[in-house]
Amino acid sequence: MEKFNTILYYCYSPIANAEQFAADHLKFCKSLGLVGRIIVADEGLNGTVSGLESACKAYMDAVHADERFAKTEFKIDEVAEPSFIKMHCRYKSEIVHSGLRDASIINPNEQTGKHLEPTEFKEMIDQEDVIILDVRSNYEHSLGRFKNAITLDIDNFREFPEKINELAQYKDKKVLTYCTGGIKCEKASALLLHHGFNDVYQLHGGIIKYGKEAGGEDFEGKCYVFDNRIAVDVNSVNPTIVSKCYNCGTITAKMINCANPECNEHITQCDECGTKLEGCCSAACVTNPRRRPYDGTGYYVKVPQQVNVAVK
């Protein structure tokens, strides 16, 4: 029986007529039987796709055959079943929403932090003149993070630029940035350099590659991923769980979305509280008439919401 793969990738490379490219690329992915989510922007590609191993290989070969994306690196996971329900390929202003769209200031193809391979990152993280900076959002680093990492109170990566002043005290340190797959660090490290940080690095391939090539040592907890797996294991050397239930404080690695679609909060929640609150983050959300049925996973397929005609 053929295996399934889920592949994660990004590539900063200019795309002419990117909106049309997105439409054509969607048709191509569907022709291979893939499911997933791809963002296309003038600056490049960012995607996670899933399907049969042969289909994923055909997709990767096609991407590499396009000279614009020949340098793309894919992180490949073998999965029991496809990690998405549908295939989406959408045109957006950025491949990762940061608000940093001025290429004359921030351009990952021209300047970013020095790329560290996982083994190099592992060798540096315990040095005295080093700080480790997690550039991901609250719900991501609450689930898992590197030991002694500095985390930021942000709900979305677009808030990262607002936190630069808080990091000014570390300008004389070696700043090692990391994120899930590397894409956020490309812009985060470039922005740090723009603001006068002189010694900036980034974990090449992110947490996912670090887990595959360096055993994930000293990454505490699990790594949040943007598909229906929700979280994946990283550390095979000294694994721990650091996340706590949003409701009762019990140690748990389970991440859910609140069953109230008007809330949809990302939280870590133990099974006992999940059952008690029917997959909701609070008693108030349990009473919402649009509450989605809770099946124990806390993952919900996105469906179009009904238009409020009165408001419109």
Side-chain angles (χ1 to χ4, degrees):
M1 185 178 237
E2 192 171 358
K3 301 173 184 176
F4 293 103
N5 285 165
T6 293
I7 56 178
L8 171 71
Y9 71 97
Y10 72 89
C11 183
Y12 282 99
S13 182
I15 302 175
N17 197 7
E19 193 165 2
Q20 182 60 50
F21 178 91
D24 295 340
H25 203 64
L26 175 61
K27 292 178 183 177
F28 172 63
C29 291
K30 286 184 174 180
S31 75
L32 294 175
L34 295 173
V35 290
R37 181 168 55 242
I38 299 172
I39 298 172
V40 178
D42 297 341
E43 64 183 5
L45 296 173
N46 174 19
T48 306
V49 296
S50 190
L52 289 171
E53 184 178 37
S54 57
C56 288
K57 183 180 185 305
Y59 179 80
M60 291 186 285
D61 289 345
V63 171
H64 281 151
D66 188 321
E67 61 181 12
R68 294 171 295 181
F69 315 124
K71 63 181 181 181
T72 304
E73 291 190 12
F74 292 93
K75 295 99 178 170
I76 307 169
D77 282 332
E78 185 176 312
V79 292
E81 60 184 9
S83 301
F84 293 87
I85 302 298
K86 298 180 179 180
M87 185 69 232
H88 298 282
C89 185
R90 296 187 174 100
Y91 171 76
K92 295 190 176 183
S93 58
E94 296 178 273
I95 56 175
V96 59
H97 189 12
S98 67
L100 304 172
R101 302 174 191 170
D102 188 345
S104 67
I105 297 176
I106 303 297
N107 186 343
N109 287 314
E110 294 184 359
Q111 184 183 45
T112 64
K114 303 165 192 171
H115 285 65
L116 293 174
E117 293 303 321
T119 53
E120 296 173 312
F121 185 88
K122 182 178 177 181
E123 291 171 0
M124 288 185 66
I125 55 178
D126 289 324
Q127 295 179 12
E128 290 186 4
D129 59 342
V130 162
I131 66 148
I132 308 165
L133 177 62
D134 191 320
V135 304
R136 300 172 303 153
S137 305
N138 289 326
Y139 63 88
E140 296 174 87
H141 62 64
S142 69
L143 186 64
R145 54 198 175 269
F146 276 102
K147 180 181 70 177
N148 300 325
I150 293 169
T151 58
L152 302 173
D153 182 14
I154 57 176
D155 292 322
N156 191 289
F157 183 59
R158 64 175 175 268
E159 298 172 23
F160 177 79
E162 302 169 9
K163 298 295 181 178
I164 293 294
N165 289 339
E166 295 180 16
L167 299 170
Q169 59 186 302
Y170 304 116
K171 281 190 174 182
D172 62 340
K173 301 282 189 179
K174 293 177 181 175
V175 181
L176 276 56
T177 66
Y178 74 87
C179 60
T180 306
I183 187 171
K184 293 176 181 177
C185 288
E186 300 283 7
K187 288 193 173 183
S189 65
L191 187 64
L192 289 168
L193 289 167
H194 177 73
H195 282 277
F197 291 75
N198 296 315
D199 216 357
V200 181
Y201 302 79
Q202 65 187 78
L203 174 56
H204 184 206
I207 299 164
I208 300 300
K209 187 174 181 180
Y210 184 83
K212 294 180 181 300
E213 297 186 8
E217 186 172 359
D218 289 332
F219 185 84
E220 301 175 330
K222 294 194 174 190
C223 181
Y224 182 90
V225 291
F226 297 86
D227 57 60
N228 63 7
R229 294 174 296 170
I230 302 177
V232 296
D233 291 323
V234 173
N235 191 332
S236 59
V237 179
N238 53 351
T240 58
I241 298 175
V242 295
S243 49
K244 297 180 180 180
C245 177
Y246 176 85
N247 302 105
C248 71
T250 299
I251 295 293
T252 180
K254 185 177 181 179
M255 168 85 58
I256 70 161
N257 283 105
C258 178
N260 173 9
E262 295 173 12
C263 172
N264 208 46
E265 185 76 22
H266 287 293
I267 61 167
T268 43
Q269 187 180 66
C270 68
D271 286 329
E272 184 175 347
C273 288
T275 300
K276 179 181 178 181
L277 293 170
E278 299 181 70
C280 292
C281 68
S282 66
C285 282
V286 174
T287 63
N288 189 287
R290 296 184 59 233
R291 178 173 54 82
R292 297 169 289 201
Y294 179 59
D295 65 0
T297 66
Y299 176 82
Y300 306 97
V301 177
K302 291 183 178 179
V303 295
Q305 295 190 10
Q306 187 176 3
V307 175
N308 188 329
V309 179
V311 173
K312 187 175 180 182

